[in-house]
Amino acid sequence: MVSTTEQRKKEHLELCLTKDVAFKEKTTLLENIELHYNCLPEVSMNDVDLSTNFLGKKFDFPFLVSAITGGAQVTKKVNKDIAIACQETGIGMGLGSMRAMIEDSKLAKTYYVKDVAPDIFVAGNIGAAQIKEYSPQELNESINEIELDALAIHINAGQEAMQPEGDFDFSGVIDKIKLYAEEISVPIYVKEVGHGIGFEAATALKQTGIKAIDVQGAGGTSWMYIDALRKKNGMKDTFREFGLPTAVSIIEVKNALSGEKKIIGSGGIRTGIDAIKAIILGADLVGNAMPVLQAQNKSASKGVVKYLDKFRQEMEITAFLLGCKNIFDLKKQEYVVLGKLKEWLNQE
Ligand SMILES: Cc1cc2nc3c(=O)[nH]c(=O)nc-3n(C[C@H](O)[C@H](O)[C@H](O)COP(=O)(O)O)c2cc1C
């Protein structure tokens, strides 16, 4: 018998790989950031080194594959392929929600990747709405079993509101995150799923013991659209464009956290230029999900390596064209804000 959770994971993969599930009109607003091209950069591109550390692990370039999957037999290969590519390119990955393996321990093997990628940073994943149901001890057992380096808690009120089997009770979530941050055996960070984290939420999260916020802003994959397609509730397009654009989300989270915790810039990050802009705005790392999944679907781990190598080169070329050798230099870069993003920021 296939459980509801396992069935949902299969449907998500299928919808992502067969339909256009991106925001249609809303963008990340990163296109409203203009970078200062330096035609005389006075650095060699060979000296550009974007390596960084995140929660105790080294990343050869600042990219963390966003949470994608696990929990159904078909997802085992997806996770292994992505992990092999992360090992080869020296970066980290997030797994999809671990709810399925907590419900059925036989599914743990669909998440376990350390056999093929012993050195990479691997983050587990659980929903904020679900942590009410599980004790930290239960989670710790699963964390040990699949040898995680961190746990991401996804806060996804929008997505849950669209899911046929959604959990709409988000009361008490902050206290539960606090408890998890104290009792979970690995560092915790919080992520959205593509509709963005704003100033107020980040301010509340700052008071918990989490180590980072992964903004997952709007402009890439629209999870309110995907789950409305599954629910067949006639709201298919109503909430497709809902959420805070990624550029806004990074700026708001940065303002809320005032340097006390790390930031991952994500949600619709599609090129190395987007990634560098996210870092200049305040992110320490970047990530994406859909392009990595599509690369895996096309040509397994080789496809993912090819995609990640290109992405890394794009980031390095952009840094070179700004005269920056490393993330530290990028953080000091000035930029110009135009258009809709400027209008948005002027009202804050
Ligand atoms: C097939 C698929 C499954 C996903 N499952 C999860 C999940 O289980 N937990 C989670 O936090 N995010 C999940 N996500 C959301 C991504 O981590 C990410 O937040 C979102 O897709 C926006 O990033 P993108 O625009 O780069 O795709 C999933 C994404 C994809 C494509």
Side-chain angles (χ1 to χ4, degrees), residues 35-38 41 43 45 48 50 271-278 280 310-325 330 333:
L35 300 175
H36 267 286
Y37 169 48
N38 183 350
V43 293
M45 203 155 88
V48 174
L50 300 179
T271 67
I273 303 178
D274 286 344
I276 294 292
K277 287 178 177 178
I280 290 175
K310 179 169 100 33
F311 198 96
R312 176 191 183 142
Q313 280 175 41
E314 289 174 359
M315 287 186 79
E316 288 175 352
I317 293 170
T318 312
F320 168 66
L321 297 179
L322 301 176
C324 294
K325 277 191 192 161
L330 286 170
Q333 271 290 302

Short mmCIF file of all heavy atoms in Angstrom, two decimals, residues 35-38 41 43 45 48 50 271-278 280 310-325 330 333:
data_model
loop_
_atom_site.label_atom_id
_atom_site.label_comp_id
_atom_site.label_asym_id
_atom_site.label_seq_id
_atom_site.Cartn_x
_atom_site.Cartn_y
_atom_site.Cartn_z
N LEU A 35 24.34 45.64 -11.65
CA LEU A 35 25.67 45.50 -11.07
C LEU A 35 26.63 46.48 -11.75
O LEU A 35 26.42 46.87 -12.90
CB LEU A 35 26.18 44.07 -11.26
CG LEU A 35 25.31 42.98 -10.62
CD1 LEU A 35 25.82 41.60 -10.97
CD2 LEU A 35 25.27 43.17 -9.10
N HIS A 36 27.67 46.86 -11.04
CA HIS A 36 28.67 47.77 -11.59
C HIS A 36 29.74 47.01 -12.34
O HIS A 36 30.72 46.56 -11.75
CB HIS A 36 29.32 48.59 -10.46
CG HIS A 36 28.64 49.89 -10.25
ND1 HIS A 36 28.80 50.94 -11.12
CD2 HIS A 36 27.81 50.31 -9.28
CE1 HIS A 36 28.07 51.95 -10.69
NE2 HIS A 36 27.46 51.60 -9.58
N TYR A 37 29.56 46.87 -13.65
CA TYR A 37 30.55 46.19 -14.49
C TYR A 37 31.87 46.96 -14.42
O TYR A 37 31.91 48.18 -14.57
CB TYR A 37 30.04 46.14 -15.93
CG TYR A 37 31.07 45.70 -16.95
CD1 TYR A 37 31.85 44.58 -16.74
CD2 TYR A 37 31.24 46.41 -18.14
CE1 TYR A 37 32.79 44.17 -17.67
CE2 TYR A 37 32.17 46.02 -19.09
CZ TYR A 37 32.95 44.90 -18.83
OH TYR A 37 33.89 44.51 -19.76
N ASN A 38 32.94 46.23 -14.19
CA ASN A 38 34.26 46.85 -14.14
C ASN A 38 35.10 46.30 -15.28
O ASN A 38 35.58 45.17 -15.22
CB ASN A 38 34.91 46.54 -12.78
CG ASN A 38 36.24 47.21 -12.61
OD1 ASN A 38 36.79 47.77 -13.56
ND2 ASN A 38 36.77 47.17 -11.40
N PRO A 41 39.08 44.94 -14.32
CA PRO A 41 38.89 44.37 -12.98
C PRO A 41 40.16 44.23 -12.13
O PRO A 41 40.07 44.09 -10.92
CB PRO A 41 38.27 43.00 -13.25
CG PRO A 41 38.44 42.71 -14.69
CD PRO A 41 38.71 43.99 -15.40
N VAL A 43 42.00 41.79 -11.64
CA VAL A 43 42.17 40.47 -11.01
C VAL A 43 42.23 39.44 -12.14
O VAL A 43 41.75 39.71 -13.25
CB VAL A 43 41.01 40.06 -10.06
CG1 VAL A 43 40.95 40.92 -8.83
CG2 VAL A 43 39.66 40.07 -10.77
N MET A 45 40.92 35.87 -13.56
CA MET A 45 39.76 35.01 -13.29
C MET A 45 40.21 33.73 -12.58
O MET A 45 39.44 33.13 -11.83
CB MET A 45 39.00 34.70 -14.56
CG MET A 45 37.57 34.33 -14.23
SD MET A 45 36.46 34.61 -15.55
CE MET A 45 36.59 33.08 -16.41
N VAL A 48 39.76 33.87 -8.86
CA VAL A 48 38.44 33.97 -8.23
C VAL A 48 38.17 32.67 -7.46
O VAL A 48 38.26 31.58 -8.02
CB VAL A 48 37.33 34.22 -9.29
CG1 VAL A 48 35.95 34.17 -8.64
CG2 VAL A 48 37.55 35.56 -9.98
N LEU A 50 35.29 31.28 -4.85
CA LEU A 50 34.02 31.56 -4.16
C LEU A 50 33.72 30.53 -3.07
O LEU A 50 32.59 30.40 -2.62
CB LEU A 50 32.88 31.64 -5.17
CG LEU A 50 33.03 32.73 -6.24
CD1 LEU A 50 31.85 32.70 -7.21
CD2 LEU A 50 33.14 34.12 -5.62
N THR A 271 20.47 31.75 -12.82
CA THR A 271 21.78 31.93 -13.46
C THR A 271 22.81 32.32 -12.40
O THR A 271 22.45 32.75 -11.29
CB THR A 271 21.76 33.06 -14.51
OG1 THR A 271 21.56 34.31 -13.83
CG2 THR A 271 20.68 32.86 -15.55
N GLY A 272 24.08 32.21 -12.80
CA GLY A 272 25.14 32.65 -11.90
C GLY A 272 25.05 34.15 -11.61
O GLY A 272 25.47 34.61 -10.55
N ILE A 273 24.49 34.90 -12.55
CA ILE A 273 24.33 36.35 -12.30
C ILE A 273 23.29 36.57 -11.20
O ILE A 273 23.51 37.35 -10.27
CB ILE A 273 23.91 37.12 -13.60
CG1 ILE A 273 24.92 36.90 -14.71
CG2 ILE A 273 23.76 38.61 -13.30
CD1 ILE A 273 24.56 37.57 -16.04
N ASP A 274 22.16 35.84 -11.28
CA ASP A 274 21.16 35.91 -10.19
C ASP A 274 21.83 35.61 -8.86
O ASP A 274 21.58 36.27 -7.84
CB ASP A 274 20.08 34.82 -10.36
CG ASP A 274 19.09 35.09 -11.47
OD1 ASP A 274 19.02 36.23 -11.95
OD2 ASP A 274 18.40 34.12 -11.87
N ALA A 275 22.68 34.58 -8.88
CA ALA A 275 23.30 34.11 -7.63
C ALA A 275 24.21 35.20 -7.05
O ALA A 275 24.18 35.46 -5.84
CB ALA A 275 24.09 32.83 -7.90
N ILE A 276 25.01 35.82 -7.91
CA ILE A 276 25.92 36.87 -7.42
C ILE A 276 25.11 38.06 -6.89
O ILE A 276 25.44 38.66 -5.86
CB ILE A 276 26.90 37.30 -8.54
CG1 ILE A 276 27.84 36.13 -8.89
CG2 ILE A 276 27.67 38.56 -8.15
CD1 ILE A 276 28.84 35.71 -7.82
N LYS A 277 24.02 38.39 -7.59
CA LYS A 277 23.17 39.49 -7.10
C LYS A 277 22.62 39.15 -5.71
O LYS A 277 22.58 40.00 -4.82
CB LYS A 277 22.00 39.74 -8.07
CG LYS A 277 22.43 40.42 -9.36
CD LYS A 277 21.22 40.60 -10.29
CE LYS A 277 21.60 41.33 -11.56
NZ LYS A 277 20.45 41.46 -12.48
N ALA A 278 22.20 37.89 -5.53
CA ALA A 278 21.65 37.48 -4.22
C ALA A 278 22.72 37.64 -3.14
O ALA A 278 22.43 38.10 -2.03
CB ALA A 278 21.16 36.03 -4.30
N ILE A 280 25.33 39.70 -3.22
CA ILE A 280 25.58 41.14 -3.00
C ILE A 280 24.47 41.75 -2.13
O ILE A 280 24.72 42.61 -1.28
CB ILE A 280 25.74 41.87 -4.36
CG1 ILE A 280 27.06 41.42 -5.01
CG2 ILE A 280 25.67 43.37 -4.21
CD1 ILE A 280 27.30 41.94 -6.39
N LYS A 310 28.47 24.59 -15.02
CA LYS A 310 28.13 25.81 -15.77
C LYS A 310 27.73 26.93 -14.81
O LYS A 310 28.15 28.07 -14.94
CB LYS A 310 27.00 25.52 -16.77
CG LYS A 310 26.57 26.75 -17.57
CD LYS A 310 25.66 26.37 -18.71
CE LYS A 310 24.23 26.57 -18.53
NZ LYS A 310 23.44 27.43 -17.89
N PHE A 311 26.94 26.57 -13.82
CA PHE A 311 26.46 27.56 -12.86
C PHE A 311 27.65 28.19 -12.11
O PHE A 311 27.73 29.40 -11.93
CB PHE A 311 25.49 26.90 -11.87
CG PHE A 311 24.63 27.88 -11.15
CD1 PHE A 311 23.35 28.17 -11.60
CD2 PHE A 311 25.09 28.54 -10.02
CE1 PHE A 311 22.55 29.09 -10.93
CE2 PHE A 311 24.31 29.45 -9.35
CZ PHE A 311 23.03 29.73 -9.80
N ARG A 312 28.59 27.33 -11.73
CA ARG A 312 29.77 27.82 -11.02
C ARG A 312 30.57 28.79 -11.91
O ARG A 312 30.99 29.85 -11.45
CB ARG A 312 30.64 26.63 -10.62
CG ARG A 312 31.94 27.03 -9.98
CD ARG A 312 32.87 25.84 -9.84
NE ARG A 312 34.06 26.25 -9.16
CZ ARG A 312 34.71 25.52 -8.28
NH1 ARG A 312 34.30 24.32 -7.99
NH2 ARG A 312 35.79 25.98 -7.71
N GLN A 313 30.73 28.39 -13.18
CA GLN A 313 31.47 29.27 -14.10
C GLN A 313 30.78 30.62 -14.25
O GLN A 313 31.41 31.66 -14.28
CB GLN A 313 31.56 28.63 -15.48
CG GLN A 313 32.65 27.58 -15.58
CD GLN A 313 32.60 26.92 -16.95
OE1 GLN A 313 32.39 27.56 -17.98
NE2 GLN A 313 32.74 25.61 -16.96
N GLU A 314 29.45 30.57 -14.36
CA GLU A 314 28.71 31.85 -14.48
C GLU A 314 28.94 32.73 -13.26
O GLU A 314 29.09 33.95 -13.38
CB GLU A 314 27.20 31.57 -14.63
CG GLU A 314 26.80 30.98 -15.97
CD GLU A 314 25.32 30.58 -16.02
OE1 GLU A 314 24.59 30.75 -15.00
OE2 GLU A 314 24.90 30.08 -17.07
N MET A 315 28.95 32.10 -12.10
CA MET A 315 29.20 32.90 -10.87
C MET A 315 30.61 33.48 -10.90
O MET A 315 30.83 34.65 -10.57
CB MET A 315 29.03 32.02 -9.62
CG MET A 315 27.60 31.68 -9.30
SD MET A 315 27.44 30.79 -7.73
CE MET A 315 27.56 32.14 -6.56
N GLU A 316 31.57 32.66 -11.31
CA GLU A 316 32.97 33.14 -11.30
C GLU A 316 33.18 34.26 -12.33
O GLU A 316 33.87 35.23 -12.06
CB GLU A 316 33.92 31.96 -11.57
CG GLU A 316 33.98 31.04 -10.36
CD GLU A 316 34.79 29.77 -10.57
OE1 GLU A 316 35.22 29.50 -11.71
OE2 GLU A 316 34.97 29.04 -9.58
N ILE A 317 32.57 34.09 -13.51
CA ILE A 317 32.72 35.15 -14.53
C ILE A 317 32.11 36.46 -14.00
O ILE A 317 32.70 37.53 -14.13
CB ILE A 317 32.04 34.73 -15.86
CG1 ILE A 317 32.80 33.56 -16.48
CG2 ILE A 317 31.96 35.90 -16.84
CD1 ILE A 317 32.11 32.90 -17.67
N THR A 318 30.93 36.35 -13.39
CA THR A 318 30.28 37.57 -12.88
C THR A 318 31.16 38.24 -11.82
O THR A 318 31.36 39.46 -11.85
CB THR A 318 28.88 37.26 -12.30
OG1 THR A 318 28.16 36.46 -13.23
CG2 THR A 318 28.10 38.53 -12.02
N ALA A 319 31.70 37.44 -10.91
CA ALA A 319 32.58 38.02 -9.86
C ALA A 319 33.78 38.69 -10.51
O ALA A 319 34.15 39.82 -10.14
CB ALA A 319 33.03 36.91 -8.90
N PHE A 320 34.38 38.04 -11.50
CA PHE A 320 35.53 38.59 -12.22
C PHE A 320 35.17 39.94 -12.85
O PHE A 320 35.94 40.92 -12.76
CB PHE A 320 35.95 37.56 -13.28
CG PHE A 320 36.92 38.06 -14.30
CD1 PHE A 320 38.21 38.43 -13.95
CD2 PHE A 320 36.56 38.13 -15.65
CE1 PHE A 320 39.13 38.87 -14.91
CE2 PHE A 320 37.45 38.57 -16.61
CZ PHE A 320 38.73 38.95 -16.24
N LEU A 321 33.99 40.00 -13.47
CA LEU A 321 33.58 41.24 -14.17
C LEU A 321 33.26 42.38 -13.20
O LEU A 321 33.07 43.52 -13.61
CB LEU A 321 32.38 40.97 -15.08
CG LEU A 321 32.64 39.97 -16.22
CD1 LEU A 321 31.39 39.74 -17.04
CD2 LEU A 321 33.79 40.43 -17.11
N LEU A 322 33.20 42.05 -11.94
CA LEU A 322 33.00 43.09 -10.92
C LEU A 322 34.32 43.41 -10.21
O LEU A 322 34.36 44.22 -9.29
CB LEU A 322 31.96 42.63 -9.88
CG LEU A 322 30.57 42.28 -10.43
CD1 LEU A 322 29.68 41.74 -9.32
CD2 LEU A 322 29.93 43.50 -11.08
N GLY A 323 35.38 42.68 -10.60
CA GLY A 323 36.68 42.89 -9.95
C GLY A 323 36.73 42.26 -8.56
O GLY A 323 37.48 42.70 -7.69
N CYS A 324 35.91 41.20 -8.34
CA CYS A 324 35.84 40.57 -7.01
C CYS A 324 36.49 39.18 -7.04
O CYS A 324 36.22 38.39 -7.95
CB CYS A 324 34.39 40.40 -6.58
SG CYS A 324 33.55 41.95 -6.31
N LYS A 325 37.32 38.89 -6.03
CA LYS A 325 37.99 37.59 -5.99
C LYS A 325 37.23 36.58 -5.13
O LYS A 325 37.43 35.38 -5.25
CB LYS A 325 39.37 37.76 -5.37
CG LYS A 325 40.42 38.21 -6.35
CD LYS A 325 41.78 38.07 -5.68
CE LYS A 325 42.83 38.77 -6.48
NZ LYS A 325 44.02 39.07 -5.72
N LEU A 330 32.64 40.50 -2.76
CA LEU A 330 31.28 40.69 -3.30
C LEU A 330 30.39 41.44 -2.31
O LEU A 330 29.59 42.29 -2.69
CB LEU A 330 30.63 39.34 -3.63
CG LEU A 330 31.15 38.63 -4.88
CD1 LEU A 330 30.62 37.20 -4.96
CD2 LEU A 330 30.78 39.39 -6.15
N GLN A 333 30.41 45.13 -2.62
CA GLN A 333 30.03 45.72 -3.91
C GLN A 333 28.82 46.64 -3.79
O GLN A 333 27.86 46.32 -3.09
CB GLN A 333 29.65 44.60 -4.89
CG GLN A 333 30.80 44.08 -5.69
CD GLN A 333 31.30 45.07 -6.71
OE1 GLN A 333 30.56 45.52 -7.58
NE2 GLN A 333 32.57 45.42 -6.61
#
